[in-house]
Amino acid sequence: MNARTRALRSLIRLHKTKVDQAKAAMVEALASEHTARIQLESCQATIESERQAAMSEHVSMDDFRRWLPFGQEAVERAENTLHSASQASEQAREALMQANAALKAATSILDRRMEEEKEIATRRERAEIDDLSRRVRMMPG
């Protein structure tokens, strides 16, 4: 194996590491997005629960009106957190796609290189066989 092929193999190992790192980042980003979505749903459910309590007169409507801006603020913060988490997931997805593309490109180059080396070796073998064949024909018999 020549230096160029060794370098390509090293590059592929590096790209595989990058793919693994990108996958881990993607998993983490998706988990954060999921957590943010659950938090938003929880805040929205709390508002609905408090509204139902006020409607059924378990809580006064005035208390609900005073509390509602805080509940809406919590929903807004949760929406912002979810938006940020979704953007992070999209960036992680893009990074993973790029890492996979780079790995595929390096692998393709190595495959072509290995095929070229195989063709060169095959040509050398044929040349050796042809040379031996000529020598045998030239020998007095």
Side-chain angles (χ1 to χ4, degrees):
M1 184 181 328
N2 65 29
R4 186 174 173 199
T5 303
R6 281 192 304 276
L8 282 170
R9 288 187 187 280
S10 294
L11 182 63
I12 288 171
R13 280 192 303 276
L14 175 66
H15 283 305
K16 284 181 180 180
T17 299
K18 287 182 179 183
V19 167
D20 290 343
Q21 290 169 342
K23 283 179 183 178
M26 178 82 173
V27 167
E28 187 176 319
L30 288 174
S32 294
E33 184 178 1
H34 178 72
T35 299
R37 184 169 285 111
I38 297 296
Q39 181 62 34
L40 174 59
E41 291 170 359
S42 174
C43 290
Q44 291 169 332
T46 299
I47 289 177
E48 186 56 32
S49 174
E50 291 295 323
R51 184 184 331 268
Q52 292 297 325
M55 300 289 269
S56 64
E57 299 180 9
H58 292 289
V59 175
S60 76
M61 203 49 111
D62 285 338
D63 287 343
F64 175 70
R65 282 191 199 102
R66 281 191 295 275
W67 173 85
L68 185 57
F70 298 106
Q72 290 170 328
E73 211 174 280
V75 166
E76 188 175 324
R77 280 192 309 271
E79 286 173 338
N80 290 337
T81 300
L82 177 58
H83 179 72
S84 295
S86 295
Q87 285 180 324
S89 291
E90 188 56 38
Q91 289 171 345
R93 188 174 292 110
E94 181 64 31
L96 178 57
M97 288 185 342
Q98 288 176 0
N100 276 325
L103 175 60
K104 185 176 179 180
T107 302
S108 177
I109 291 169
L110 178 63
D111 289 347
R112 278 196 309 262
R113 180 72 185 151
M114 296 302 291
E115 189 61 35
E116 288 170 6
E117 286 180 10
K118 186 177 174 183
E119 287 175 21
I120 290 169
T122 301
R123 276 188 249 135
R124 280 188 193 136
E125 285 178 21
R126 284 186 195 143
E128 287 175 17
I129 291 171
D130 289 346
D131 186 45
L132 286 173
S133 179
R134 266 184 259 129
R135 287 182 190 173
V136 167
R137 275 186 260 145
M138 294 170 118
M139 289 176 64

